Amino acid sequence: MEVFTEKERRMLTVTKSPSDELSLTNCLVINKDLFKDLKSLYRDELFAKISFNNGTKFTYKLCSYDKIRPELIGLSYIQRIWTDLTLERGVDVSICVCTAPAIICKINIKVDFLYKKNKIMDSFNTDLMSKKFNECFGDLPFTIGQKLVFKFTDKMPLLLLVVDKIECIENSVSTFGLLNMNSLVIFDKAENSDINLTGKYRGAATMTTTSILNPDWDFSKMGVGGLDKEFSVIFRRAFVSRVYPSELVEQLGLQHVKGILLYGPPGTGKTLMARQIGKMLNASEPKIVNGPEILNKFVGESEKNIRVLFEDAEADKKKYGVNSPLHMIIFDEIDAICRQRGTATGSTGVADTVVNQLLSKMDGVQQLNNILIIGMTNRKDLIDEALLRPGRLELQMEINLPNEEGRLQILNIHTLKLQEHKKLHSEVDLKQISVQIKNYSGAEIEGLVRAATTNAMNKFVSQGQGKVEIHQNAVESLLVTKTDFDVAASDIKPAFGSGTDDADHYLGIGIFEYGNPISSIIEFSKSLIKQAQSGCLVSPVSLLLHGPEGSGKTALAAHLAYKLSNFPFVKVVSSENMSGYSESSRCQAITKIFDDAYKSELSCIIVDDIEGLFDYIPIGPRFSNLVLRMLIVLLKKKTPKNNKLLIITTCNSLDVLRSLQVLNCFNATIEVPAIRDVVYMINILNELKLFNNEEIREIESSIKQKSFNISLKKLICLAERAKQYDDSKVVKFIYSLDQECDNIY
């Protein structure tokens, strides 16, 4: 059915629209008197239909203006572009009235800025735009592909609209129709447009995912190794919600994760990870703040420094709403300003007010959903607990020591340049090195590679007579070899590793496998070591070595820990290292060693002379109850998941531990006996090599009918003292032995 009925035809000449206001009406303009004459004849709304030879038709509503000549018809610039009409061109205009209106029930419109130079980041509310569009263009005809200019508000720039799709009441899909005040208007972003649209009348084509990741970012160039799992968790918890359209997030009532706390041992990559997160996100330039920089000696300045950090995010929130860009604030050493309130020294209370200010800004009355705060610390236990609740530093990620696969990734990262320029010797097996450098942090691995490279460079440097010269073939011949890595490993020691100095100190001259008592202890202990390594039901695995003082318990414990277990983390808790410590200081020192052990996959702790640790004295008896209770807790405390711990404890009196209810803390108890057998004594003397074979036979014949009960340490002392008498050392040794042994017949 024909929508418009032609009343008459006129030849009119195209001219510019007389005013900007008339251009925004989307109507064609004719002379006022001509319009008045036509209205008196037909008494209906007047429309102008322009047809071309190819059958294309354009229909606009007519309006009048008193200063345009009768032979002219005014078209705006956008109308002339769409209809392909040029100025001063004569066109055949059909004057029509609407007889069978095709009412638009739904119209889809593409939106963009009319002038790209005037584009803004402010959001356009499609709910208000739809209402304004119906008010401005009600009862106007629209055709698919039609272009028009739309003025939303006086403060907003002009918009260019293009009709994309029309649905009419009579026909679900149409190319033409009249807009009605009840027509549904849907706005979509034009292709390659930067306009921000919000509201329920925003089209599905505009509901695209947000590019939270920088489009130029390359994950392979992050320079972070061994943290794949941590990055995966951080992305799932903190960034997935930011990928979805802001309108959908608002509909779900979802608040993005605002804070991430990265904690763990020094050198494990916390700062590096935060720096790379700042680079990979499509966000504003991160603000990086060292914790102590916030504090200021002037009253109120510290709190002001916190407020300044959030000013940009607050301004963008007010200006752009849900489309505000993400703002990142990175706090290094956050524990310096966020300690538990009430624990700070001094009378100013600045530390507490800084924490209060940060808490209110992160999740106060006026909440911000466009911020991401990343805090880093080695001491999570120092941070105020209010900062760790959901809504603040909600995501707490422990950045621990890398495993074998992670160490290999870090080695590949730091040797990448060496490999690219063929400066790494073919004999260097990075996978084998990653197995050897257990408990190395990322920073220590970087230092290892650096030390190995400088070792290789040092080979081509000669020093002499005040000169330092580089060999001529250094550039071509320089290669980093396996030997360079071995030397570097002896220089760079892991902070959370087994100390060779401790091993030498506690092992001394080693252990003496003089007979069945020691060999059976070692054999049984091997099974406990295997249980600690591969078992999954019991952790920690604890062993108690008890026996008289000087029987070799400490050396035996050190042998099991340093030689047989091959655990990457071995530490000794000994009373001799804590002499003069107060009770609280002793508790802190012991707890720290256990906490460090939990950071390693495989750990062993030697608790040497446990009675001395809690200051047991038989007179009374007296002991430190605080240290005792803490030791009982640590011995029983279950280790974190995927961490294995072996505890080897030594004591001189089993009855003391039984009376203090400590004995039940151990999975196994083994006695390390004193020397009571002549055969065992002779075996020890043979291993000491202080006497020749003839002298040992003489000693054996002199004492084979006697009974002994002497500690290993005392026996070694007597043998070494007797050696000082060259001519009569056998007689002196036997005499001293008789004097020391209480049960000699």
Side-chain angles (χ1 to χ4, degrees):
M1 179 184 292
E2 185 66 32
V3 176
F4 295 100
T5 300
E6 182 180 314
K7 296 300 181 180
E8 60 178 271
R9 303 183 73 87
R10 289 177 181 265
M11 182 62 70
L12 300 174
T13 302
V14 176
T15 187
K16 294 181 180 180
S17 186
S19 68
D20 292 340
E21 290 75 11
L22 289 171
S23 297
L24 296 173
T25 62
N26 197 38
C27 295
L28 303 187
V29 186
I30 60 175
N31 179 265
K32 179 181 180 181
D33 294 333
L34 176 61
F35 182 82
K36 185 177 181 181
D37 294 342
L38 292 171
K39 286 285 287 183
S40 64
L41 287 173
Y42 307 116
R43 299 181 182 279
D44 288 312
E45 296 291 344
L46 298 178
F47 298 87
K49 182 185 292 184
I50 304 171
S51 302
F52 290 96
N53 295 330
N54 61 4
T56 307
K57 298 178 181 180
F58 306 102
T59 304
Y60 279 99
K61 191 175 181 178
L62 286 172
C63 65
S64 64
Y65 188 67
D66 56 351
K67 294 182 181 181
I68 191 171
R69 299 199 304 271
E71 70 275 10
L72 300 178
I73 184 169
L75 279 76
S76 68
Y77 175 70
I78 296 299
Q79 290 170 333
R80 297 198 303 273
I81 289 177
W82 183 57
T83 58
D84 198 24
L85 293 175
T86 58
L87 295 174
E88 308 300 330
R89 174 178 175 175
V91 293
D92 186 15
V93 180
S94 174
I95 308 299
C96 306
V97 295
C98 185
T99 55
I103 303 300
I104 295 173
C105 64
K106 181 181 177 182
I107 182 170
N108 288 69
I109 295 175
K110 296 284 188 182
V111 188
D112 198 1
F113 295 105
L114 179 62
Y115 304 110
K116 294 291 186 181
K117 64 180 180 180
N118 293 338
K119 68 180 182 179
I120 59 175
M121 289 296 294
D122 299 54
S123 59
F124 290 78
N125 189 313
T126 56
D127 301 350
L128 300 177
M129 286 175 63
S130 178
K131 182 179 179 180
K132 181 69 178 289
F133 187 88
N134 282 328
E135 292 175 355
C136 294
F137 305 123
D139 298 327
L140 263 63
F142 286 94
T143 307
I144 290 180
Q146 181 177 343
K147 297 180 180 179
L148 64 154
V149 178
F150 180 47
K151 185 177 183 180
F152 180 34
T153 66
D154 293 336
K155 296 182 179 180
M156 296 286 196
L158 294 175
L159 302 177
L160 175 63
L161 308 184
V162 180
V163 179
D164 184 52
K165 188 184 299 182
I166 292 175
E167 295 180 17
C168 292
I169 297 174
E170 297 82 359
N171 188 0
S172 60
V173 180
S174 180
T175 59
F176 177 84
L178 286 174
L179 190 71
N180 185 277
M181 288 298 293
N182 296 320
S183 299
L184 178 62
V185 184
I186 303 297
F187 294 95
D188 289 295
K189 286 171 60 174
E191 188 176 356
N192 299 323
S193 175
D194 295 325
I195 193 168
N196 291 321
L197 300 179
T198 62
K200 64 181 179 180
Y201 292 117
R202 182 186 183 196
T206 311
M207 297 281 285
T208 54
T209 57
T210 305
S211 178
I212 186 66
L213 297 181
N214 191 326
D216 299 326
W217 183 251
D218 185 358
F219 276 100
S220 63
K221 297 179 181 179
M222 288 184 67
V224 180
L227 297 175
D228 297 346
K229 180 181 176 182
E230 286 79 2
F231 259 111
S232 176
V233 173
I234 289 174
F235 186 83
R236 172 174 59 83
R237 290 285 308 280
F239 302 138
V240 164
S241 63
R242 298 182 185 273
V243 172
Y244 283 86
S246 53
E247 286 76 14
L248 177 60
V249 174
E250 195 172 28
Q251 292 170 15
L252 296 173
L254 181 66
Q255 289 286 325
H256 298 303
V257 170
K258 301 174 187 176
I260 302 173
L261 178 66
L262 304 177
Y263 66 96
T268 51
K270 300 182 295 297
T271 304
L272 178 60
M273 177 179 277
R275 193 185 304 130
Q276 297 298 0
I277 289 175
K279 291 180 181 178
M280 73 182 244
L281 292 182
N282 190 14
S284 301
E285 185 69 22
K287 296 180 180 179
I288 302 176
V289 184
N290 290 321
E293 292 178 356
I294 294 293
L295 302 178
N296 193 296
K297 65 180 180 179
F298 296 106
V299 176
E301 287 298 314
S302 300
E303 296 85 339
K304 180 182 176 182
N305 292 337
I306 293 290
R307 292 194 296 272
V308 168
L309 296 175
F310 291 84
E311 285 180 350
D312 293 340
E314 290 172 341
D316 283 353
K317 177 68 175 178
K318 293 179 181 178
K319 188 174 183 181
Y320 305 131
V322 294
N323 291 300
S324 170
L326 178 65
H327 290 260
M328 288 187 60
I329 305 173
I330 299 175
F331 286 96
D332 198 7
E333 303 300 337
I334 193 173
D335 55 281
I337 61 170
C338 294
R339 298 207 171 197
Q340 292 279 355
R341 285 169 289 183
T343 60
T345 57
S347 59
T348 61
V350 172
D352 290 357
T353 56
V354 168
V355 175
N356 294 336
Q357 183 69 79
L358 183 59
L359 293 176
S360 63
K361 282 297 179 183
M362 288 187 67
D363 192 29
V365 176
Q366 297 179 343
Q367 293 186 356
L368 296 174
N369 208 20
N370 62 337
I371 59 169
L372 178 65
I373 295 177
I374 301 179
M376 295 163 288
T377 179
N378 302 328
R379 298 290 306 276
K380 178 187 173 185
D381 57 297
L382 297 180
I383 297 177
D384 192 277
E385 59 182 11
L387 199 64
L388 303 179
R389 72 157 174 82
R392 288 166 182 162
L393 294 181
E394 179 175 346
L395 176 54
Q396 296 153 33
M397 179 62 63
E398 183 176 11
I399 310 300
N400 221 323
L401 297 173
N403 56 18
E404 183 179 325
E405 181 181 355
R407 295 194 294 270
L408 180 59
Q409 289 181 8
I410 299 171
L411 279 171
N412 279 313
I413 289 170
H414 292 299
T415 58
L416 181 62
K417 291 291 185 182
L418 293 174
Q419 297 179 53
E420 286 179 353
H421 296 89
K422 298 182 179 179
K423 294 299 182 182
L424 192 65
H425 199 283
S426 58
E427 71 177 2
V428 176
D429 186 351
L430 295 180
K431 188 172 183 180
Q432 181 183 0
I433 294 175
S434 69
V435 175
Q436 295 172 348
I437 55 174
K438 297 175 181 177
N439 277 21
Y440 274 66
S441 67
E444 289 163 346
I445 294 175
E446 181 183 5
L448 178 75
V449 175
R450 183 165 51 245
T453 306
T454 54
N455 288 336
M457 296 171 69
N458 188 56
K459 299 175 185 176
F460 297 91
V461 175
S462 57
Q463 303 178 23
Q465 297 181 354
K467 293 182 179 180
V468 178
E469 296 180 351
I470 302 175
H471 298 179
Q472 293 182 351
N473 62 340
V475 177
E476 297 80 11
S477 304
L478 194 148
L479 285 175
V480 181
T481 64
K482 184 178 181 301
T483 304
D484 296 323
F485 275 97
D486 293 339
V487 174
S490 63
D491 295 335
I492 307 295
K493 298 294 183 183
F496 295 92
S498 58
T500 55
D501 294 340
D502 287 343
D504 295 339
H505 174 72
Y506 289 104
L507 273 171
I509 59 176
I511 64 167
F512 298 92
E513 294 190 42
Y514 54 79
N516 185 63
I518 299 301
S519 58
S520 61
I521 292 173
I522 292 175
E523 199 63 34
F524 179 76
S525 300
K526 286 180 179 178
S527 66
L528 290 177
I529 293 172
K530 290 180 180 178
Q531 181 184 2
Q533 288 175 328
S534 57
C536 57
L537 300 178
V538 177
S539 184
V541 175
S542 52
L543 169 65
L544 175 64
L545 300 177
H546 67 93
E549 188 173 353
S551 58
K553 301 182 297 298
T554 301
L556 186 57
H559 178 76
L560 297 177
Y562 290 103
K563 301 296 184 181
L564 297 185
S565 74
N566 198 30
F567 283 9
F569 181 96
V570 180
K571 291 294 181 182
V572 179
V573 179
S574 175
S575 58
E576 71 176 30
N577 296 331
M578 299 184 186
S579 178
Y581 279 32
S582 64
E583 284 186 320
S584 58
S585 299
R586 189 170 299 192
C587 289
Q588 289 178 1
I590 297 172
T591 303
K592 185 180 184 304
I593 292 176
F594 275 82
D595 288 342
D596 291 346
Y598 299 146
K599 294 179 175 67
S600 175
E601 291 183 359
L602 281 175
S603 309
C604 180
I605 296 177
I606 300 174
V607 181
D608 188 37
D609 186 18
I610 190 172
E611 302 105 317
L613 284 172
F614 53 77
D615 292 331
Y616 176 80
I617 299 175
I619 301 174
R622 293 189 300 172
F623 57 88
S624 170
N625 187 61
L626 179 65
V627 179
L628 174 64
R629 303 319 302 176
M630 182 215 57
L631 281 170
I632 291 175
V633 169
L634 292 176
L635 289 171
K636 290 183 176 181
K637 183 178 179 181
K638 189 170 179 62
T639 59
K641 187 178 180 181
N642 299 326
N643 289 74
K644 308 294 178 62
L645 175 62
L646 173 64
I647 302 174
I648 304 175
T649 305
T650 68
C651 80
N652 298 326
S653 175
L654 199 64
D655 293 335
V656 170
L657 299 190
R658 184 180 289 110
S659 64
L660 295 176
Q661 299 180 350
V662 183
L663 202 56
N664 295 331
C665 299
F666 301 99
N667 302 123
T669 303
I670 303 178
E671 181 185 7
V672 182
I675 309 300
R676 298 186 179 94
D677 193 301
V678 174
V679 176
Y680 298 159
M681 184 181 296
I682 297 303
N683 291 339
I684 293 170
L685 294 177
N686 278 318
E687 290 189 45
L688 286 173
K689 301 187 183 307
L690 296 176
F691 302 94
N692 57 38
N693 294 336
E694 184 178 346
E695 291 169 337
I696 289 177
R697 284 194 295 271
E698 184 179 349
I699 293 172
E700 182 179 10
S701 62
S702 300
I703 64 174
K704 63 181 179 179
Q705 300 299 328
K706 299 178 181 180
S707 297
F708 302 96
N709 186 10
I710 187 171
S711 68
L712 177 63
K713 184 177 182 180
K714 181 62 69 174
L715 178 63
I716 295 172
C717 179
L718 295 179
E720 188 174 41
R721 187 192 307 162
K723 185 186 176 183
Q724 311 310 315
Y725 301 91
D726 294 332
D727 298 334
S728 58
K729 59 182 177 180
V730 173
V731 175
K732 289 294 183 181
F733 174 75
I734 296 173
Y735 175 78
S736 300
L737 189 62
D738 291 339
Q739 294 294 319
E740 290 291 339
C741 294
D742 296 332
N743 55 346
I744 297 177
Y745 295 106

